[in-house]
Amino acid sequence: MFSGDWCVLARHLQKEAQSQHNNSEFTEDQKVSIAVYAVRMDIAVQSSRINACLWIRILIFFPPLSAVLKNILTYNKEFPFDVQPVPLRKILAPGEEEHLEFEEDDEEGGAGAGSPDSFPARVPGTLLPRLPSEPGMTLLTINIEKIGLKDAGQCIDPYITVSVKDLNGIDLTPVQDTPVALRKEDTYVHFNVDIEIQKHIEKLTKGAAIFFEFKHYKPKKRFTSTKCFAFMEMDEIKPGAIVIELYKKPTDFKRKKLQLLTKKPLYLHLHQTLHKE
């Protein structure tokens, strides 16, 4: 910030401090704090113009801004009504969850402590449009109808992350997140959302698979967690309905250590549509 910017800020602070109108957002004590800070700012700026030491003067002469304005930017439940601060939802980086205690929320007594999950910093609803068609090439639309879970009704803000991986777990297309589920009913979470796979089927590498990670929010721990996952391999790509099995977290993109989530007949329900010119 240059000296001119500091002058503008100082003038605004002085104007607010001298305000006499009744609808001011600040108390008289707060106005005093503002006035003191504005005067110090103005002196520092004028002094710096003479000595060409703006930043040194500011750092030495100013008390920390957060300390001066501490009683200004405070939570006041009386203005204009009680709005309490909302805790942020944490989306963990890969491996961070291994140090947290897991809830035993799957059919066989939990995935166990120390299971690392992958939590991309994206917002649910990041769906991409269908690619342009190419002669002789096939595009795939997958409709995610619903997922069966014994505790479906307890899942908060559930959504599904869809990715296409090679045998080494490397992304072959952009990762997409569905919007939050439409509704929860009995043992099902309903989505009814279309996912456009972002590569022509003929261009996918041998052994590739499409992964579906079911995620939900845990309010006690304040982060979004992967509950289970499913995947569909290339030989399963065909028009029509398909149900695929659910596996325990952490998501195994290399498909080497798979454990079913439950012995009950609960699956991810999909419907595939192929587009070919």
PDB file of all heavy atoms in Angstrom, residues 11-30:
ATOM      1  N   ARG A  11      -8.309   9.350   6.078  1.00  0.00           N
ATOM      2  CA  ARG A  11      -9.432  10.290   5.972  1.00  0.00           C
ATOM      3  C   ARG A  11     -10.760   9.599   6.249  1.00  0.00           C
ATOM      4  O   ARG A  11     -11.635  10.149   6.922  1.00  0.00           O
ATOM      5  CB  ARG A  11      -9.450  10.932   4.572  1.00  0.00           C
ATOM      6  CG  ARG A  11      -8.361  11.981   4.364  1.00  0.00           C
ATOM      7  CD  ARG A  11      -8.688  12.877   3.165  1.00  0.00           C
ATOM      8  NE  ARG A  11      -8.760  12.110   1.934  1.00  0.00           N
ATOM      9  CZ  ARG A  11      -7.716  11.880   1.150  1.00  0.00           C
ATOM     10  NH1 ARG A  11      -6.514  12.346   1.479  1.00  0.00           N
ATOM     11  NH2 ARG A  11      -7.858  11.184   0.039  1.00  0.00           N
ATOM     12  N   HIS A  12     -10.908   8.382   5.725  1.00  0.00           N
ATOM     13  CA  HIS A  12     -12.147   7.637   5.982  1.00  0.00           C
ATOM     14  C   HIS A  12     -12.303   7.322   7.470  1.00  0.00           C
ATOM     15  O   HIS A  12     -13.408   7.394   8.023  1.00  0.00           O
ATOM     16  CB  HIS A  12     -12.159   6.346   5.159  1.00  0.00           C
ATOM     17  CG  HIS A  12     -12.514   6.547   3.719  1.00  0.00           C
ATOM     18  ND1 HIS A  12     -13.740   7.005   3.316  1.00  0.00           N
ATOM     19  CD2 HIS A  12     -11.785   6.371   2.583  1.00  0.00           C
ATOM     20  CE1 HIS A  12     -13.782   7.097   2.003  1.00  0.00           C
ATOM     21  NE2 HIS A  12     -12.589   6.718   1.522  1.00  0.00           N
ATOM     22  N   LEU A  13     -11.189   6.947   8.112  1.00  0.00           N
ATOM     23  CA  LEU A  13     -11.252   6.656   9.546  1.00  0.00           C
ATOM     24  C   LEU A  13     -11.609   7.894  10.350  1.00  0.00           C
ATOM     25  O   LEU A  13     -12.409   7.841  11.293  1.00  0.00           O
ATOM     26  CB  LEU A  13      -9.914   6.075  10.007  1.00  0.00           C
ATOM     27  CG  LEU A  13      -9.578   4.669   9.513  1.00  0.00           C
ATOM     28  CD1 LEU A  13      -8.178   4.276   9.957  1.00  0.00           C
ATOM     29  CD2 LEU A  13     -10.586   3.652  10.022  1.00  0.00           C
ATOM     30  N   GLN A  14     -10.994   9.042   9.997  1.00  0.00           N
ATOM     31  CA  GLN A  14     -11.290  10.286  10.714  1.00  0.00           C
ATOM     32  C   GLN A  14     -12.749  10.690  10.521  1.00  0.00           C
ATOM     33  O   GLN A  14     -13.412  11.147  11.462  1.00  0.00           O
ATOM     34  CB  GLN A  14     -10.369  11.396  10.214  1.00  0.00           C
ATOM     35  CG  GLN A  14      -8.909  11.226  10.660  1.00  0.00           C
ATOM     36  CD  GLN A  14      -8.001  12.254  10.029  1.00  0.00           C
ATOM     37  OE1 GLN A  14      -8.303  12.786   8.964  1.00  0.00           O
ATOM     38  NE2 GLN A  14      -6.884  12.532  10.674  1.00  0.00           N
ATOM     39  N   LYS A  15     -13.263  10.521   9.294  1.00  0.00           N
ATOM     40  CA  LYS A  15     -14.652  10.862   9.025  1.00  0.00           C
ATOM     41  C   LYS A  15     -15.599  10.022   9.873  1.00  0.00           C
ATOM     42  O   LYS A  15     -16.576  10.524  10.428  1.00  0.00           O
ATOM     43  CB  LYS A  15     -14.950  10.656   7.534  1.00  0.00           C
ATOM     44  CG  LYS A  15     -16.381  11.028   7.137  1.00  0.00           C
ATOM     45  CD  LYS A  15     -16.578  10.836   5.645  1.00  0.00           C
ATOM     46  CE  LYS A  15     -18.017  11.171   5.251  1.00  0.00           C
ATOM     47  NZ  LYS A  15     -18.235  10.980   3.783  1.00  0.00           N
ATOM     48  N   GLU A  16     -15.306   8.718   9.973  1.00  0.00           N
ATOM     49  CA  GLU A  16     -16.153   7.836  10.773  1.00  0.00           C
ATOM     50  C   GLU A  16     -16.049   8.179  12.255  1.00  0.00           C
ATOM     51  O   GLU A  16     -17.041   8.152  12.982  1.00  0.00           O
ATOM     52  CB  GLU A  16     -15.764   6.379  10.540  1.00  0.00           C
ATOM     53  CG  GLU A  16     -16.634   5.364  11.280  1.00  0.00           C
ATOM     54  CD  GLU A  16     -18.087   5.429  10.865  1.00  0.00           C
ATOM     55  OE1 GLU A  16     -18.354   5.641   9.660  1.00  0.00           O
ATOM     56  OE2 GLU A  16     -18.959   5.265  11.754  1.00  0.00           O
ATOM     57  N   ALA A  17     -14.851   8.527  12.713  1.00  0.00           N
ATOM     58  CA  ALA A  17     -14.654   8.851  14.128  1.00  0.00           C
ATOM     59  C   ALA A  17     -15.401  10.115  14.526  1.00  0.00           C
ATOM     60  O   ALA A  17     -15.859  10.255  15.661  1.00  0.00           O
ATOM     61  CB  ALA A  17     -13.163   9.016  14.413  1.00  0.00           C
ATOM     62  N   GLN A  18     -15.542  11.060  13.572  1.00  0.00           N
ATOM     63  CA  GLN A  18     -16.211  12.332  13.867  1.00  0.00           C
ATOM     64  C   GLN A  18     -17.704  12.285  13.591  1.00  0.00           C
ATOM     65  O   GLN A  18     -18.410  13.252  13.784  1.00  0.00           O
ATOM     66  CB  GLN A  18     -15.572  13.445  13.034  1.00  0.00           C
ATOM     67  CG  GLN A  18     -14.103  13.684  13.381  1.00  0.00           C
ATOM     68  CD  GLN A  18     -13.413  14.583  12.375  1.00  0.00           C
ATOM     69  OE1 GLN A  18     -14.042  15.068  11.438  1.00  0.00           O
ATOM     70  NE2 GLN A  18     -12.126  14.812  12.575  1.00  0.00           N
ATOM     71  N   SER A  19     -18.175  11.109  13.113  1.00  0.00           N
ATOM     72  CA  SER A  19     -19.584  10.992  12.745  1.00  0.00           C
ATOM     73  C   SER A  19     -20.479  11.203  13.964  1.00  0.00           C
ATOM     74  O   SER A  19     -20.242  10.662  15.043  1.00  0.00           O
ATOM     75  CB  SER A  19     -19.839   9.619  12.131  1.00  0.00           C
ATOM     76  OG  SER A  19     -21.219   9.448  11.904  1.00  0.00           O
ATOM     77  N   GLN A  20     -21.554  11.975  13.769  1.00  0.00           N
ATOM     78  CA  GLN A  20     -22.494  12.246  14.854  1.00  0.00           C
ATOM     79  C   GLN A  20     -23.847  11.567  14.652  1.00  0.00           C
ATOM     80  O   GLN A  20     -24.720  11.660  15.496  1.00  0.00           O
ATOM     81  CB  GLN A  20     -22.726  13.774  14.950  1.00  0.00           C
ATOM     82  CG  GLN A  20     -21.462  14.575  15.238  1.00  0.00           C
ATOM     83  CD  GLN A  20     -20.867  14.223  16.591  1.00  0.00           C
ATOM     84  OE1 GLN A  20     -21.598  13.954  17.554  1.00  0.00           O
ATOM     85  NE2 GLN A  20     -19.537  14.214  16.682  1.00  0.00           N
ATOM     86  N   HIS A  21     -24.000  10.892  13.505  1.00  0.00           N
ATOM     87  CA  HIS A  21     -25.318  10.302  13.228  1.00  0.00           C
ATOM     88  C   HIS A  21     -25.566   9.097  14.129  1.00  0.00           C
ATOM     89  O   HIS A  21     -24.656   8.416  14.561  1.00  0.00           O
ATOM     90  CB  HIS A  21     -25.450   9.902  11.753  1.00  0.00           C
ATOM     91  CG  HIS A  21     -24.325   9.063  11.245  1.00  0.00           C
ATOM     92  ND1 HIS A  21     -24.223   7.723  11.509  1.00  0.00           N
ATOM     93  CD2 HIS A  21     -23.241   9.404  10.503  1.00  0.00           C
ATOM     94  CE1 HIS A  21     -23.147   7.244  10.942  1.00  0.00           C
ATOM     95  NE2 HIS A  21     -22.520   8.244  10.321  1.00  0.00           N
ATOM     96  N   ASN A  22     -26.831   8.878  14.391  1.00  0.00           N
ATOM     97  CA  ASN A  22     -27.228   7.849  15.362  1.00  0.00           C
ATOM     98  C   ASN A  22     -27.111   6.438  14.818  1.00  0.00           C
ATOM     99  O   ASN A  22     -27.093   5.484  15.583  1.00  0.00           O
ATOM    100  CB  ASN A  22     -28.682   8.105  15.816  1.00  0.00           C
ATOM    101  CG  ASN A  22     -28.827   9.403  16.577  1.00  0.00           C
ATOM    102  OD1 ASN A  22     -27.895   9.815  17.279  1.00  0.00           O
ATOM    103  ND2 ASN A  22     -29.982  10.059  16.428  1.00  0.00           N
ATOM    104  N   ASN A  23     -27.080   6.297  13.505  1.00  0.00           N
ATOM    105  CA  ASN A  23     -27.053   4.942  12.944  1.00  0.00           C
ATOM    106  C   ASN A  23     -25.642   4.465  12.660  1.00  0.00           C
ATOM    107  O   ASN A  23     -25.424   3.576  11.860  1.00  0.00           O
ATOM    108  CB  ASN A  23     -27.889   4.885  11.664  1.00  0.00           C
ATOM    109  CG  ASN A  23     -27.354   5.830  10.593  1.00  0.00           C
ATOM    110  OD1 ASN A  23     -26.558   6.710  10.887  1.00  0.00           O
ATOM    111  ND2 ASN A  23     -27.828   5.634   9.358  1.00  0.00           N
ATOM    112  N   SER A  24     -24.644   5.064  13.302  1.00  0.00           N
ATOM    113  CA  SER A  24     -23.267   4.606  13.134  1.00  0.00           C
ATOM    114  C   SER A  24     -23.132   3.186  13.666  1.00  0.00           C
ATOM    115  O   SER A  24     -23.764   2.806  14.650  1.00  0.00           O
ATOM    116  CB  SER A  24     -22.300   5.522  13.881  1.00  0.00           C
ATOM    117  OG  SER A  24     -20.988   4.987  13.828  1.00  0.00           O
ATOM    118  N   GLU A  25     -22.288   2.412  13.027  1.00  0.00           N
ATOM    119  CA  GLU A  25     -22.101   1.010  13.426  1.00  0.00           C
ATOM    120  C   GLU A  25     -21.155   0.881  14.615  1.00  0.00           C
ATOM    121  O   GLU A  25     -20.981  -0.213  15.141  1.00  0.00           O
ATOM    122  CB  GLU A  25     -21.551   0.205  12.250  1.00  0.00           C
ATOM    123  CG  GLU A  25     -22.506   0.138  11.068  1.00  0.00           C
ATOM    124  CD  GLU A  25     -21.945  -0.688   9.943  1.00  0.00           C
ATOM    125  OE1 GLU A  25     -20.906  -1.355  10.171  1.00  0.00           O
ATOM    126  OE2 GLU A  25     -22.514  -0.690   8.846  1.00  0.00           O
ATOM    127  N   PHE A  26     -20.507   1.991  15.053  1.00  0.00           N
ATOM    128  CA  PHE A  26     -19.507   1.933  16.106  1.00  0.00           C
ATOM    129  C   PHE A  26     -19.964   2.672  17.357  1.00  0.00           C
ATOM    130  O   PHE A  26     -20.687   3.677  17.293  1.00  0.00           O
ATOM    131  CB  PHE A  26     -18.186   2.530  15.619  1.00  0.00           C
ATOM    132  CG  PHE A  26     -17.643   1.868  14.379  1.00  0.00           C
ATOM    133  CD1 PHE A  26     -17.614   2.536  13.166  1.00  0.00           C
ATOM    134  CD2 PHE A  26     -17.170   0.567  14.430  1.00  0.00           C
ATOM    135  CE1 PHE A  26     -17.126   1.920  12.032  1.00  0.00           C
ATOM    136  CE2 PHE A  26     -16.681  -0.058  13.306  1.00  0.00           C
ATOM    137  CZ  PHE A  26     -16.658   0.622  12.101  1.00  0.00           C
ATOM    138  N   THR A  27     -19.524   2.178  18.500  1.00  0.00           N
ATOM    139  CA  THR A  27     -19.799   2.845  19.766  1.00  0.00           C
ATOM    140  C   THR A  27     -18.841   4.010  19.935  1.00  0.00           C
ATOM    141  O   THR A  27     -17.879   4.178  19.173  1.00  0.00           O
ATOM    142  CB  THR A  27     -19.622   1.859  20.927  1.00  0.00           C
ATOM    143  OG1 THR A  27     -18.240   1.480  21.009  1.00  0.00           O
ATOM    144  CG2 THR A  27     -20.462   0.598  20.722  1.00  0.00           C
ATOM    145  N   GLU A  28     -19.087   4.828  20.972  1.00  0.00           N
ATOM    146  CA  GLU A  28     -18.205   5.976  21.218  1.00  0.00           C
ATOM    147  C   GLU A  28     -16.790   5.520  21.543  1.00  0.00           C
ATOM    148  O   GLU A  28     -15.805   6.130  21.099  1.00  0.00           O
ATOM    149  CB  GLU A  28     -18.777   6.821  22.363  1.00  0.00           C
ATOM    150  CG  GLU A  28     -20.093   7.516  22.023  1.00  0.00           C
ATOM    151  CD  GLU A  28     -19.971   8.385  20.774  1.00  0.00           C
ATOM    152  OE1 GLU A  28     -18.958   9.114  20.662  1.00  0.00           O
ATOM    153  OE2 GLU A  28     -20.857   8.332  19.920  1.00  0.00           O
ATOM    154  N   ASP A  29     -16.647   4.448  22.329  1.00  0.00           N
ATOM    155  CA  ASP A  29     -15.307   3.932  22.646  1.00  0.00           C
ATOM    156  C   ASP A  29     -14.593   3.459  21.387  1.00  0.00           C
ATOM    157  O   ASP A  29     -13.390   3.661  21.217  1.00  0.00           O
ATOM    158  CB  ASP A  29     -15.420   2.773  23.643  1.00  0.00           C
ATOM    159  CG  ASP A  29     -15.819   3.251  25.034  1.00  0.00           C
ATOM    160  OD1 ASP A  29     -15.660   4.456  25.297  1.00  0.00           O
ATOM    161  OD2 ASP A  29     -16.287   2.416  25.821  1.00  0.00           O
ATOM    162  N   GLN A  30     -15.332   2.845  20.506  1.00  0.00           N
ATOM    163  CA  GLN A  30     -14.735   2.378  19.264  1.00  0.00           C
ATOM    164  C   GLN A  30     -14.307   3.542  18.386  1.00  0.00           C
ATOM    165  O   GLN A  30     -13.277   3.486  17.713  1.00  0.00           O
ATOM    166  CB  GLN A  30     -15.721   1.466  18.536  1.00  0.00           C
ATOM    167  CG  GLN A  30     -15.966   0.148  19.250  1.00  0.00           C
ATOM    168  CD  GLN A  30     -17.086  -0.674  18.638  1.00  0.00           C
ATOM    169  OE1 GLN A  30     -17.899  -0.142  17.878  1.00  0.00           O
ATOM    170  NE2 GLN A  30     -17.131  -1.955  18.969  1.00  0.00           N
TER     171      GLN A  30
END
